[in-house]
Amino acid sequence: MTSPSPRTPEESAALSSVWTLTMPVAMGYMPLGMVFGFLFVQAGATAWLAVLASIVVYAGAAQYMMIPMIAAGLPVSSIALATLIINLRHMFYGLSLLGKFPQSKLPRWYMVFALTDETYSVLTTLPTGTPARQLLGIAALNHIWWVLGTAIGAIIGAQAQLPLSGLDFVLAALFAVLAVEQWRIKTSPLPLWTALVSYALAYAVAPAHALVIAIALSIAAGMFCRPRADRRGA
């Protein structure tokens, strides 16, 4: 039996980079996955079904939405349609990363499936020419963190009653970390200021729908405000 060949320095550095890049996501996905698994079991479902949902659905907010829908006895078709509507934004994420995705069919389709908000944020911080294997590793590890958190929460939920107060801030903290990482790699502060101003305007007009309106305003600003290099090349 031949022993596995040792990793090259480049491979070791890439592996270390993948772990480092996914750590902020892990700090958010683990507790959030635990809360989902806990609530899913508390709603009357089994622990293995909670884990299966995180493996097959892997939709974050849509999975939380599933809990009251399942508890209310809604049909699977209604749950699937609601999940599709919530995750339509991922279509636009994928279009902007098609050139970076692996060319092989299975890895490419997995990247499409595993492209969450947080994974997209991490991938867009990477320089052009980052190996597809590294991108795939980041997406897969983020998926693992979510599934692992779900499994832990489901096991706890099946055994004990625990308060969940305070964990609702985890997602906000995670997005704050990702926003800082995006800020560090951008040469222009325009994207951040666009988001802040858009949300301020949207909140002043319609507080109940501020997020949706702010996203629409940011998209509109992105369509009409291009970097100078793009304008010269146009």
Side-chain angles (χ1 to χ4, degrees):
M1 179 180 296
T2 59
S3 59
S5 57
R7 292 191 182 96
T8 64
E10 291 78 9
E11 291 174 337
S12 299
L15 181 61
S16 175
S17 176
V18 167
W19 279 95
T20 302
L21 289 168
T22 62
M23 279 300 102
V25 179
M27 295 301 101
Y29 272 15
M30 289 286 288
L32 286 172
M34 289 173 63
V35 173
F36 166 74
F38 183 92
L39 293 177
F40 197 84
V41 171
Q42 292 294 305
T46 58
W48 70 266
L49 192 57
V51 176
L52 181 63
S54 286
I55 294 174
V56 177
V57 180
Y58 187 38
Q63 287 183 235
Y64 277 92
M65 174 205 66
M66 288 168 51
I67 297 173
M69 296 181 76
I70 291 175
L74 295 180
V76 174
S77 58
S78 298
I79 298 174
L81 178 60
T83 302
L84 175 64
I85 293 173
I86 290 176
N87 289 323
L88 278 177
R89 67 188 185 280
H90 292 171
M91 294 175 60
F92 300 97
Y93 291 170
L95 289 175
S96 66
L97 290 175
L98 282 178
K100 293 185 176 182
F101 281 179
Q103 296 303 311
S104 302
K105 287 186 178 180
L106 187 58
R108 190 176 182 86
W109 279 108
Y110 177 75
M111 287 290 296
V112 172
F113 162 75
L115 191 62
T116 61
D117 298 347
E118 294 76 17
T119 299
Y120 176 82
S121 182
V122 173
L123 295 183
T124 52
T125 64
L126 300 178
T128 303
T130 300
R133 182 182 298 180
Q134 189 171 354
L135 304 181
L136 184 62
I138 291 171
L141 264 181
N142 287 346
H143 192 183
I144 289 172
W145 300 138
W146 181 260
V147 173
L148 183 58
T150 299
I152 296 172
I155 293 172
I156 294 174
Q159 303 294 328
Q161 298 283 341
L162 296 176
L164 301 176
S165 58
L167 287 176
D168 52 349
F169 185 71
V170 170
L171 186 59
L174 172 58
F175 274 105
V177 172
L178 296 174
V180 170
E181 291 300 316
Q182 289 284 338
W183 171 272
R184 290 174 58 187
I185 68 165
K186 296 298 182 183
T187 57
S188 170
L190 184 61
L192 181 60
W193 284 113
T194 299
L196 292 175
V197 172
S198 296
Y199 188 81
L201 292 174
Y203 190 81
V205 174
H209 306 286
L211 182 59
V212 175
I213 296 174
I215 291 174
L217 291 175
S218 297
I219 292 174
M223 292 174 62
F224 293 103
C225 300
R226 292 184 296 170
R228 293 180 180 178
D230 290 348
R231 291 174 181 171
R232 287 195 299 266

